[in-house]
Amino acid sequence: MSWMSGRRKLAVGAFALITALFLWAKWAPMDPLFNSPRSTVLVDRNGQLLGASVAADGQWRFPTSASVPEKFATCLLQFEDRHFYGHHGVRLQSLVRAFQQNQQAGRKVRGGSTLTMQVARMSRGQNVRSYSAKLIEALMAVRIELRNSKKEILSIYAGNAPFGGNVVGLDAAAWRWFGRAPDHLTWAESATLAVLPNAPSAVYPGKGRSTLRRKRDSLLDRLLDINAIDSTEWTLAKQEPLPGTPLPLPQLAPHLLSTLIKKGHAGAQVHTTIDAHLQLRATEACDRYAQRLVANEVHNAAALIIHVPTGEVRAYIGNLTNAGTEHANRVDLVRAQRSTGSVLKPLLYADMLQSGEVLSQTLLVDVPTQYDGFRPRNYDEQYSGAVPLSEALARSLNVPAVRSLRKHGVDRTLRTLRAIGFSSIDKPADHYGLSLIVGGAESSLWEISGAYASMARVLGNYGRGGRHYRTSDIHPLIIINSAGNVPDTTRSETSPLSAASISCVLTALREVHRPDDEMGWQSFADHERISWKTGTSFGHRDAWAIGTSDQWCVAVWSGNASGEGRPGLTGTLASAPLMFDLFRLLPKGSGFEVPFDEMTRAVTCHASGYLANNDCPETDTTWIPLPGTRTPVCPYHRPITVDLDEHWRVPAGQGKSIPWFSLPPAMERYYALSHPAYRPMPPLRAGSEDEDHVMEVLYPEYGARLLIPTELDGSRGKAVMEIAHRDMNARVHWDMDGKFLGTTVGEHRMAVDPADGTHLLALTDDHGRLLRHSFVVVSRQPR
């Protein structure tokens, strides 16, 4: 009985020990098997490798893949562990056989480890071959088997096995030794990689080649024996050469890779929205175009290609590959903050259109302008007097834009810009002032192209679907391909800009007459239904070109990363040609639908673009945004009484009454120069009452501040006042506060340095016509 009791106690003890071992192996805390740093891997929207970075420890070690290609798995198991699916981490028969063979040989010739035990050994980071180490590996193997499926164990092994040199893991090995993904390896290549981890320090493609070939061919023989391959495959596989030196990995989007690493994606495999084929073609186009830029000592450029309906970035060129380290070729200029030049103007005009302040053909003022010392100038240093909004936008005129911004409000404009994605324009209104619209703010190609793509998406989605646009149409560009980046398309709130206002702006950027140096691309843009805008920063430091169709948005920046300006570095000359080169790589767009539900037909004045008044002789019936019905009627057509020959204005009842198009003096002065058909209002016949304003002060405006600078030497400077007179040859006499200043003829400018405070200017011409004008003088200290 005592013998039976002893056996029972032994059995109970054994059962308790096994149970405890099982509970420990299954549920006891266990550190991660591998904590080694990983390479950052970039793949395109179809899983194709775009590039990778070496891990922090200098190893090419890709993140572990969830699956192992069938060919490699077959080769690996036939070489390392043929009974992999029949054990639970340890195979005693193999250990016993290995022990016997080692005893007979007098040295260690066989290990007997299962694949799971090899995973355990690799995780310990030790290469000690001892019986105690083997016991630890066996216990760890049991734990690994209890916690992971066979598929997962294969994946762990393939992701962490050494493959010679500084190559770790199957994915890195496939690319470094064969230049392709593991899924595309041949039987011979798979067999080569399967035998490498067995002795990676002694046998790899650059070392021990005869031993490597012998092991590979022996494994191929085994594959033939088990009918994994047929005789033809076996013959062809044995004829394949071994790889030579490690191959460089693809580097199709190096700047995107470095940027994503900085943004917290280091050590991960990042699935992007990039199209590898398009990325390659876009890179080649940029490299070809670089020769043209370098001829003008311009060394850098960046470009984005965006799929408008989704907002996905399909090509990302962060810099020119041939710029060289001396020109900062590693800097990602897609994300660099640069002066925006003129590229914000479409958003200002769209905001004004949807606010009911203007119509797309409304005449804007284009005359010499100055506000508190800030004097905007058009690119060609010329003035049109009056120009339709659509033409002012297409020609990128600075003066009408600045005057429009002053009327619309800088704060109001900043709210719209931020709502549509310009998060980097984050300073208060006083920081930017009126220069906001002509390059006084900084943004990036990423934000600018995102805003243009969002505008196109609002209009495109309006036409595709429902007659509603959504706040979800306005969203940042998508570069990481994951479910978390899919915009919410169920919301139907109001977007920052209406489809109707966007339609007017994009139509202007597509159809309106371009400056002469842009006409070369006009036919192509029309054919491809592209709306496009260029911009140039002060000092010719930044050249922008952004174009969009209903399907694609292409944005280009060119310049020098150092900030050095160059003559001829303009959006038109430097960036637009590359933008159109990139558009040629893309399918043609189908054009935008007009959002008629947000528009109404209205009668407008043909000459002024305003809503027509009763005196407008020639009118157009056109579609305008619904808020446009609140805009003023034409202020320039009014009835006057003239003689029968229309040479003189006469008192009412002494001639005929006709409508006359008459601009204010300053506008008329410049408008008449480019519009030969413009007829100045006839002069008054003697005896007629003068109701006409023949003079207008250009600077300073009525009640405005006139800034008097203080020179560097401390002396008080002068400011130049300017007026316009309808008569180009008129003489104007200047008085200020009762003191005569002088007389001007033709060009009416007067330099003054009055004391601080309020002053009254009196202007009189030779006909005795008088204009009084009040303003305030403020001194400005030098910086």
Side-chain angles (χ1 to χ4, degrees), residues 258-406:
S258 62
T259 292
L260 291 178
I261 290 174
K262 294 175 184 177
K263 289 186 175 293
H265 296 280
Q269 178 164 300
V270 185
H271 294 265
T272 72
T273 60
I274 299 296
D275 182 317
H277 178 65
L278 181 59
Q279 177 77 14
L280 177 61
R281 295 182 67 196
T283 301
E284 292 172 346
C286 291
D287 288 343
R288 287 193 302 270
Y289 187 76
Q291 300 176 8
R292 174 172 174 174
L293 294 175
V294 171
N296 189 33
E297 293 296 324
V298 177
H299 301 282
N300 304 99
L304 289 172
I305 298 177
I306 302 149
H307 184 236
V308 166
T310 60
E312 294 178 353
V313 178
R314 296 294 172 82
Y316 187 111
I317 313 300
N319 207 329
L320 297 176
T321 57
N322 54 5
T325 55
E326 67 274 22
H327 297 296
N329 66 329
R330 295 185 179 180
V331 176
D332 183 0
L333 292 170
V334 165
R335 309 293 182 128
Q337 297 293 305
R338 310 290 298 204
S339 169
T340 54
S342 297
V343 299
L344 301 182
K345 291 174 183 174
L347 293 107
L348 167 64
Y349 289 133
D351 204 13
M352 295 180 72
L353 283 161
Q354 78 166 0
S355 300
E357 298 171 54
V358 291
L359 302 178
S360 59
Q361 297 302 316
T362 296
L363 285 182
L364 302 180
V365 180
D366 183 23
V367 299
T369 299
Q370 189 170 176
Y371 298 117
D372 293 344
F374 172 54
R375 185 162 189 163
R377 289 179 171 86
N378 295 324
Y379 179 77
D380 58 2
E381 299 284 345
Q382 302 296 315
Y383 302 97
S384 302
V387 60
L389 181 152
S390 56
E391 185 179 337
L393 176 57
R395 293 172 56 193
S396 198
L397 297 177
N398 289 333
V399 172
V402 169
R403 297 179 72 100
S404 296
L405 176 62
R406 186 169 185 263

Side-chain angles (χ1 to χ4, degrees), residues 353-359 498 500 598 624-631:
L353 283 161
Q354 78 166 0
S355 300
E357 298 171 54
V358 291
L359 302 178
S498 68
E598 290 188 3
I624 66 170
L626 288 172
T629 58
R630 302 195 301 266
T631 58

Side-chain angles (χ1 to χ4, degrees), residues 439-470:
E442 290 188 343
S443 186
S444 64
L445 190 68
W446 181 263
E447 283 188 348
I448 292 169
S449 59
Y452 276 71
S454 289
M455 286 197 296
R457 191 177 311 111
V458 168
L459 191 54
N461 284 350
Y462 184 97
R464 270 189 289 273
R467 291 292 186 251
H468 299 283
Y469 43 89
R470 305 173 294 267

Side-chain angles (χ1 to χ4, degrees), residues 603-620 632-639 658-662:
V603 179
T604 60
C605 175
H606 182 79
S608 71
Y610 283 82
L611 295 177
N613 66 32
N614 294 331
D615 297 307
C616 295
E618 187 176 356
T619 60
D620 300 312
V633 297
C634 175
Y636 304 129
H637 275 109
R638 61 189 178 96
I658 61 173
W660 200 277
F661 180 68
S662 178

Side-chain angles (χ1 to χ4, degrees), residues 26-91:
K26 181 70 174 178
W27 287 293
M30 182 177 179
D31 292 333
L33 291 173
F34 296 94
N35 288 314
S36 302
R38 300 282 166 173
S39 300
T40 307
V41 179
L42 206 64
V43 298
D44 85 337
R45 60 198 315 267
N46 298 312
Q48 183 173 337
L49 183 67
L50 295 170
S53 67
V54 70
D57 59 357
Q59 304 292 307
W60 288 105
R61 186 187 297 107
F62 285 15
T64 301
S65 177
S67 60
V68 178
E70 184 178 349
K71 287 181 182 178
F72 177 79
T74 300
C75 292
L76 177 65
L77 296 182
Q78 290 302 314
F79 184 76
E80 292 286 1
D81 191 351
R82 299 176 187 175
H83 304 282
F84 178 69
Y85 289 104
H87 63 68
H88 298 288
V90 179
R91 190 169 187 272

